[in-house]
Amino acid sequence: MKPRLARCDETATLWRIRNLAIRHGCRGVYPADVISAWTPDALPSGYFEAVRSHPFYVVEDAEYGVAATGFLDLHNGSVEAIFTLPACNGKGYASAIMQVIIDEARQRGFDKLTLAATPNASGFYLRHGFRVVRETLYPSALAQADLPCVEMVREL
């Protein structure tokens, strides 16, 4: 399983993976109404731009097709949108994407990576060399709420 760069024509699929992963993984972390607002079916216009403008990776699964996503935000030096279809959890897809993002960041001369993790995902990032900076609230325009999150950093 080798991550590859996403294509712009896959943007709707990537958004769907994001939403399914949040709805599944965050259901014990945030209230249902917040998750519903945070995961609209309609694709936001800025998401296409993220796929087009940043190294946005995917992993394909033999049964499900594109099954995991994630990208390096070149403007902020941050890891964004690492999501896996719930049916494909535990197959190592997110870890493969994490590694290729780390490699990409190093090649581009970044000396660290940052991210804001949902509380349920922070353990994944700890296992990949990130450390907790602080717990905070992330203002989400989509959710129309301040979401508890864990700010993290990894030195490269």
Side-chain angles (χ1 to χ4, degrees):
M1 119 209 44
K2 182 171 172 34
R4 66 165 172 81
L5 288 171
R7 299 185 316 264
C8 288
D9 67 337
E10 296 173 312
T11 301
T13 298
L14 307 179
W15 183 253
R16 181 180 161 275
I17 292 168
R18 171 205 180 268
N19 286 348
L20 291 172
I22 290 171
R23 291 171 189 164
H24 176 79
C26 295
R27 65 179 178 240
V29 178
Y30 305 117
D33 61 324
V34 169
I35 291 174
S36 180
W38 189 25
T39 60
D41 291 330
L43 182 69
S45 59
Y47 202 71
F48 178 84
E49 185 60 27
V51 174
R52 190 183 71 74
S53 303
H54 301 277
F56 205 121
Y57 294 96
V58 299
V59 169
E60 293 187 64
D61 180 86
E63 183 177 350
Y64 294 97
V66 175
T69 72
F71 75 94
L72 171 61
D73 182 319
L74 296 174
H75 304 297
N76 299 311
S78 61
V79 176
E80 300 290 337
I82 294 186
F83 296 109
T84 303
L85 282 175
C88 295
N89 284 344
K91 293 185 175 187
Y93 297 164
S95 292
I97 288 175
M98 184 78 259
Q99 189 56 56
V100 78
I101 288 173
I102 290 168
D103 294 344
E104 181 80 29
R106 283 185 178 132
Q107 289 174 12
R108 291 177 179 263
F110 288 90
D111 59 358
K112 69 178 179 179
L113 285 172
T114 62
L115 60 85
T118 56
N120 58 296
S122 62
F124 168 81
Y125 296 109
L126 288 169
R127 289 190 301 276
H128 287 86
F130 285 80
R131 65 177 170 77
V132 173
V133 174
R134 67 183 175 140
E135 294 183 15
T136 188
L137 295 175
Y138 175 82
S140 170
L142 275 176
Q144 298 178 3
D146 291 334
L147 304 175
C149 74
V150 182
E151 289 183 4
M152 304 181 88
V153 66
R154 178 190 163 140
E155 305 300 324
L156 299 176

